[in-house]
Amino acid sequence: FPADDAGAGAGAAESLRAKKQKYQEKREIAVEQTNFFQCAVCKIDNGDEGLVCCKRCPRSYHRKCFEETCVSEESAMDGDAEVKRECNRCAWDNRIRPGEDIESGVMKVDKKIKDAYAKYEDTPSYTFMALMIGELLQILEKLKKYDYGFVFEVPVDTTGVPDYLQVIKKPMDYGTIVDNLEKGRYTPSSSSIPSTTDGEHMDAMEDIVLSALKDIDQVHHNCLLFNSQGSPFYRAGEVQDMKWNAYFNSHIKERLPETVQASLAAFQESCKADRLKRSSTRSFQANAGTARNKNVAVFDPDTKRIVKQYSSRSSARTAALMLCEAGYACEWGLTQTNAKSRLEAAEDPSKPLLGYQWVPTEKIKCGNFKVKPYFRNDDLVSPTPNNIVILKEDTVSGSEIRGFESEESAYEDWLAEKSGSFNDRVDRTDEGDTGGNQSSDFVKYYLDGNKSINGVVWNRVEPDSSAGVAASVPKSPLKVVINEEHAATSPMRLSKSEENSAE
């Protein structure tokens, strides 16, 4: 994270630290990757290990695949391609290569298209537009088979993307367009409304082709509008949009009537305007936005990574509620009434929601937020070092938080740590416990046990009087009281010989 004292002198930095709460050291934030992990050549997905990622497109390559296809080919980048990390496939996106072109110049209308649009056979442009529909179907099949075409082949699963329909007003995909074209489901909005100010009209078949062209642009527009700029899916949308324009400019554009071209251009401009309005809230690099529409990042306090981003607080609340309703373990009983306050409180690492901090993106960008470790209990009187029998430690940072002279004081601290914690609610749900004998739970599961609370553990130690500190060596308990109902399974149960030797 950006240091608080960036650009300041040492004296100013110390003064600043004294006035502000210290957050954490400078650290790289791992944001959503901008490339797909599947190799663009061999199609094998090995995660991000050993991949060469192109800086201009979402493609990734194994080093060997990159060298073979992006350096040695005639159309490859120049000699320093390996240094630039730019692949030659980027140049393929905006042009039609040999083997990618469609069959054009056909003068006979396909029977399936002829049957689907038979009722418009008397339209002046029927034959010309019916042949164009056949070409559009060929182009759509080519787009499906081109890089990342599978992303746009079927409708978006909105159950897995809860805020998709809040942003996208007209979902569209290649499969739906093909189905509509083949079955004649596109109908003219009107065959008698002038398309230009000079009174020119579009006939029914021209209007149908225009609707299909708008829907193809709608597919790419939806992708660029919903996804954050620079994300893998955003860049995949750019790849497909460029390929579509290569086909469009080569086979369709110059053959369209001026009225159709003008209407399509107006639609494309309106799409650009919509994306421009949302660009400041969809991109991680953008400005903060308005107070009512702030980006929210889901931050993992243990790995220090951003695992998800939402474009607004309302979409983040919706996602949290859906996860709770789906049965995911949650620290709080989340409802429509308290979701807003719980989400705001989850900025604090001591009050996580679904195991994560939910922090406004602009705070993460400037490092202005708190992270673990957070429970220090500095208000308690510290025991003498050589009298410490139990140490409280943070397994995430590896630091010792404080020591205790007795099990009773450690137990009281455990109760304070446990109240409102994630583990407490999960344990009660799993075990059907509504309170029970918590002291026995502490001894059985947490004291030298295999459970922790938010990464915090309590371990017995052997006092080292010579060093004046407690050595981190587990010690057998001397005075452990366990309820008989737990005695048989308790890992801390003393044998008779151990009890006698202890006495």
Side-chain angles (χ1 to χ4, degrees), residues 350-374:
S350 66
K351 302 173 182 177
L353 186 62
L354 294 159
Y356 298 104
Q357 289 175 249
W358 300 62
V359 188
T361 298
E362 65 268 22
K363 289 193 175 183
I364 290 184
K365 289 169 68 176
C366 66
N368 188 25
F369 69 108
K370 293 185 289 184
V371 296
K372 293 171 70 172
Y374 49 89

Side-chain angles (χ1 to χ4, degrees), residues 373-386:
Y374 49 89
F375 278 128
R376 295 287 179 179
N377 289 348
D378 293 329
D379 55 320
L380 300 178
V381 179
S382 298
T384 307
N386 61 354

Side-chain angles (χ1 to χ4, degrees), residues 48-64:
D48 61 348
E49 183 177 355
L51 289 178
V52 177
C53 298
C54 180
K55 295 191 297 184
R56 294 195 299 171
C57 73
R59 299 177 180 90
S60 299
Y61 303 86
H62 295 117
R63 183 173 297 277
K64 182 178 179 181

Side-chain angles (χ1 to χ4, degrees), residues 350 373-383 390-394 399-404 408-419 442 453-454 456-458:
S350 66
Y374 49 89
F375 278 128
R376 295 287 179 179
N377 289 348
D378 293 329
D379 55 320
L380 300 178
V381 179
S382 298
I390 296 175
L391 269 179
K392 178 183 180 183
E393 301 174 271
D394 190 311
S399 61
E400 297 177 355
I401 299 177
R402 64 168 287 107
F404 303 94
E408 288 77 11
S409 59
Y411 170 66
E412 292 297 326
D413 177 73
W414 173 78
L415 284 177
E417 194 85 50
K418 189 171 182 283
S419 61
F442 172 61
I453 298 180
N454 297 321
V456 175
V457 296
W458 291 260

Side-chain angles (χ1 to χ4, degrees), residues 5 46 79 82 192 201 206 220 238 263 354 487:
D5 57 338
N46 296 125
E82 171 67 14
S192 59
H201 293 67
E206 291 172 346
H220 309 139
E238 291 180 316
S263 182
L354 294 159

